Amino acid sequence: MKNALLMSLSVMALSMPAMAQDNAKSAPMVDLTKAANEMEYRTNLMALGSMSLMASELAEDKASNSDVKKFAAFEVSEQTAISSVLKDMKTSKPPMNEKDKAVMDKLKSTSGAEFDRAYLQASLDTHERLEDLGENFLGASKSSEAKEQHARHLATVTLPTIKQHIAQ
């Protein structure tokens, strides 16, 4: 099923955040798919979006398949827009965690078709984590009186798009 999803991501590129910077420090492993409050949701969304943005910016240059390059360009545009909204909400970019740092190191050290496969797998993984984060946050925040509804709105708007990316 993962191979079908990877192929679908490549095909999706036909139908269709500049936060990229190297983090000298890595964050400890935190479950980015969970958020106890709106600030955690926004911070985790920023972390996952930053990972997607950095990987996609790299793919714009390194991908060998034109469909993968198109998908990467789409992701850069999408993540830049989401990052802009998060910055407007005063959300800081956290340092990259060890798992994502290892993925970026792998992407930087591969090329050709191997890079394309690794990038699409990383993109799928990030989208699955984004989906889990959105669902977990919306489920947990339904019962709470949220002082700030913007994060719920952001999750509500982005979740269907994330699900569509995974399904295609």
Side-chain angles (χ1 to χ4, degrees):
M1 176 148 181
K2 293 282 186 190
N3 288 335
L5 292 173
L6 289 174
M7 267 314 257
S8 295
L9 283 174
S10 179
V11 171
M12 178 180 67
L14 287 174
S15 64
M16 11 191 174
M19 296 173 5
Q21 58 180 241
D22 291 330
N23 290 311
K25 297 182 210 173
S26 293
M29 282 303 294
V30 172
D31 185 354
L32 296 175
T33 66
K34 305 278 191 243
N37 56 54
E38 293 185 40
M39 181 55 83
E40 270 186 32
Y41 168 73
R42 292 194 327 258
T43 300
N44 291 353
L45 183 61
M46 179 71 89
L48 291 169
S50 295
M51 170 60 188
S52 181
L53 178 61
M54 287 187 286
S56 296
E57 286 176 332
L58 189 61
E60 283 184 306
D61 292 329
K62 288 187 72 172
S64 61
N65 181 293
S66 64
D67 292 340
V68 175
K69 281 186 181 270
K70 289 175 189 174
F71 175 71
F74 175 80
E75 280 295 301
V76 167
S77 175
E78 188 174 67
Q79 291 304 325
T80 299
I82 293 170
S83 171
S84 177
V85 170
L86 289 168
K87 285 178 182 179
D88 288 347
M89 296 171 76
K90 309 292 186 232
T91 308
S92 299
K93 178 184 171 190
M96 185 178 283
N97 67 34
E98 290 297 324
K99 176 183 177 182
D100 291 340
K101 188 175 182 323
V103 170
M104 286 303 299
D105 288 345
K106 178 180 179 181
L107 291 175
K108 289 175 184 177
S109 69
T110 59
S111 60
E114 182 183 357
F115 172 86
D116 293 352
R117 283 189 298 275
Y119 166 68
L120 291 174
Q121 182 61 53
S123 181
L124 176 62
D125 177 63
T126 302
H127 279 81
E128 288 174 339
R129 292 190 292 160
L130 283 163
E131 178 183 30
D132 290 345
L133 173 63
E135 287 178 344
N136 290 335
F137 175 69
L138 287 173
S141 65
K142 273 184 184 176
S143 61
S144 69
E145 286 295 321
K147 294 177 184 171
E148 178 191 325
Q149 291 296 312
H150 298 296
R152 279 191 54 75
H153 294 157
L154 186 60
T156 301
V157 169
T158 59
L159 191 55
T161 303
I162 293 164
K163 287 181 179 214
Q164 181 183 18
H165 286 202
I166 294 170
Q168 291 183 347

